[in-house]
Amino acid sequence: MSVRRSDPLAQVSDFDIRLLRIFRSVVECGGFSAAETVLGIGRSAISQQMNDLEQRLGLRLCQRGRAGFSLTEEGREVYQSALQLLSALESFRTEVNGLHQHLRGELTIGLTDNLVTLPHMRITHALAQLKERGPEVQIQIRMIAPNEVEQGVLDGRLHVGVVPQASALSGLEYQPLYSERSLLYCAVGHPLFYVDDQQLEDARLDSQDAIAPTFRLPTEIQAHYQALNCTASASDREGMAFLILTGRYIGYLPDHYANLWVQQGRLRALKPLARFYDLSLASVTRKGRRPHLVLESFLESLAATR
C-alpha cells in the first residue's frame, strides 16, 4: 500500500525529468528488459531509477515480477501526466531554439508499415536533408497502424505521420505524398496459384478466404474488399502479408511491397489488369500546432522532394 505525502514534488528538478523520461521509455517498451537497449543502461540500473521515482512521488507506479510488467492505476495517471510535461518541455525548447534558428530537439514520426520499399523514397530523402541541416536533431520513428498514427498526431505524441488517405479527421491536416497500386495476391500452395487468369472466374475468385484491413480506407476502395469472402483481418499490411504467405488466403498488397516475393516465386498477382486499386498516402499534422522549427523544416524538405 502506497503512502501519500502532502506535497512530494514541491519542485521538479532535472533529476525528476530524467527519471520521468526513463519511466516513459520503460512503459513504451513494455518492461525493464526491453528498455535496456533503448536506454543504454542495465536492468538493475533501470530498476533503481524506478525505485527513486516512486520514492520521489510517494506512489507505486508499476508491478514487476514473475507475472510480468504492468502499470498500476496511479502509474497510468503519472504516465499520461509525464507525456504532457515532456511534450511541453520539448515545445519550449523548440520555440527557444527557433529564436536562434538552430535545428535542435526531437522529431517523432509515425509511419504506416512498408513504405520503405516505395521507389520514390521521399520520406528517406527528407529525413536525410533534415539531418544535414540539423545534425543535433533526434529523430524517432514509430511503425504503427494508420489509425494509431492519426490518434498520435491528434494527442501530441507524434509530430507528423504518414497514412493511407481516407476521409479527413477533424483537427488534422493532410498533404498528399504518394500514390501506390495494390494488387490481389495469393501465395504458392494456394489452389489458385497455378490457375491461368483467363480460366479464373470471378465467382471462384470471390469465394476464396480473403483478408480485410481494419484501418480506414476510402469508400471506393472498401468496395474491393466487400466483393471478397473476407474471413480474416489485419491491422496493417505486414499482417496481411503474413496471412497471404500461408497459402490459405488471398489479399491485396502494395505492388512495391510484394515485388520481392513475386520475384522469388512465392507470390503471384491474380487478374492484375482487373483486380487492383490505387491508394493515396498523405502526411498528417495537427491543425493549430505550435511553431516547431524541426517539424517545419522536415515538412519543407518533404514538399520539395519529388
Side-chain angles (χ1 to χ4, degrees):
M1 181 175 178
S2 61
V3 178
R4 295 179 179 274
R5 291 179 287 175
S6 59
D7 190 9
L9 285 182
Q11 293 182 338
V12 178
S13 66
D14 289 343
F15 180 65
D16 296 319
I17 299 299
R18 180 173 179 273
L19 293 180
L20 288 171
R21 291 186 186 278
I22 293 173
F23 176 56
R24 179 184 65 178
S25 295
V26 170
V27 174
E28 292 178 350
C29 291
F32 292 5
S33 297
E36 286 183 285
T37 301
V38 173
L39 294 172
I41 57 178
R43 183 173 178 177
S44 60
I46 295 173
S47 180
Q48 181 59 54
Q49 304 277 22
M50 288 300 91
N51 288 334
D52 291 342
L53 180 59
E54 288 178 332
Q55 290 179 14
R56 282 284 292 156
L57 299 178
L59 299 170
R60 182 71 170 174
L61 300 179
C62 57
Q63 305 290 346
R64 54 266 202 188
R66 293 183 178 180
F69 174 88
S70 64
L71 288 177
T72 63
E73 184 61 32
E74 293 168 328
R76 283 190 285 270
E77 293 182 16
V78 170
Y79 173 65
Q80 293 300 323
S81 297
L83 290 180
Q84 295 176 22
L85 172 61
L86 296 175
S87 176
L89 287 172
E90 178 58 28
S91 295
F92 173 79
R93 181 169 65 170
T94 300
E95 291 174 18
V96 172
N97 286 339
L99 298 176
H100 299 282
Q101 293 298 301
H102 291 311
L103 285 181
R104 297 194 186 102
E106 296 179 356
L107 181 68
T108 306
I109 308 171
L111 299 179
T112 188
D113 61 328
N114 307 124
L115 297 182
V116 72
T117 51
L118 276 163
H120 311 298
M121 298 190 72
R122 289 181 61 183
I123 298 172
T124 302
H125 294 321
L127 288 173
Q129 291 179 15
L130 176 65
K131 192 62 176 174
E132 182 177 354
R133 294 174 61 182
E136 298 181 29
V137 170
Q138 297 180 0
I139 299 171
Q140 298 181 20
I141 293 181
R142 299 180 183 174
M143 304 300 298
I144 49 181
N147 298 347
E148 296 180 47
V149 172
E150 290 175 309
Q151 186 57 49
V153 174
L154 274 173
D155 63 27
R157 288 181 291 115
L158 301 174
H159 295 122
V160 60
V162 177
V163 296
Q165 190 166 8
S167 57
L169 295 182
S170 176
L172 295 178
E173 294 179 343
Y174 298 81
Q175 293 296 328
L177 289 178
Y178 302 106
S179 178
E180 65 177 13
R181 173 157 294 191
S182 288
L183 303 177
L184 185 61
Y185 291 94
C186 73
V188 63
H190 192 278
L192 300 185
F193 191 80
Y194 294 108
V195 177
D196 186 271
D197 282 337
Q198 294 183 350
Q199 306 299 320
L200 183 54
E201 298 178 353
D202 286 338
R204 184 182 180 189
L205 185 59
D206 294 338
S207 68
Q208 305 296 313
D209 285 329
I211 310 154
T214 58
F215 51 86
R216 297 186 316 117
L217 288 170
T219 303
E220 63 273 15
I221 291 180
Q222 293 176 16
H224 289 270
Y225 291 95
Q226 292 167 356
L228 300 175
N229 177 34
C230 293
T231 59
S233 63
S235 64
D236 51 47
R237 283 100 68 91
E238 186 170 357
M240 299 177 74
F242 267 111
L243 289 172
I244 294 170
L245 287 165
T246 66
R248 299 296 182 267
Y249 298 89
I250 63 173
Y252 285 95
L253 292 175
D255 56 5
H256 62 85
Y257 177 44
N259 185 53
L260 177 61
W261 290 306
V262 172
Q263 293 180 356
Q264 294 173 345
R266 298 180 62 188
L267 287 183
R268 65 158 288 201
L270 300 165
K271 305 184 76 168
L273 298 180
R275 297 298 182 111
F276 70 88
Y277 63 79
D278 295 321
L279 177 65
S280 294
L281 293 155
S283 65
V284 55
T285 52
R286 186 172 55 182
K287 290 181 180 178
R289 62 186 182 273
R290 291 184 177 183
H292 189 300
L293 187 60
V294 174
L295 174 58
E296 302 309 323
S297 296
F298 173 71
L299 294 176
E300 180 183 327
S301 296
L302 197 59
T305 305
R306 300 294 179 183

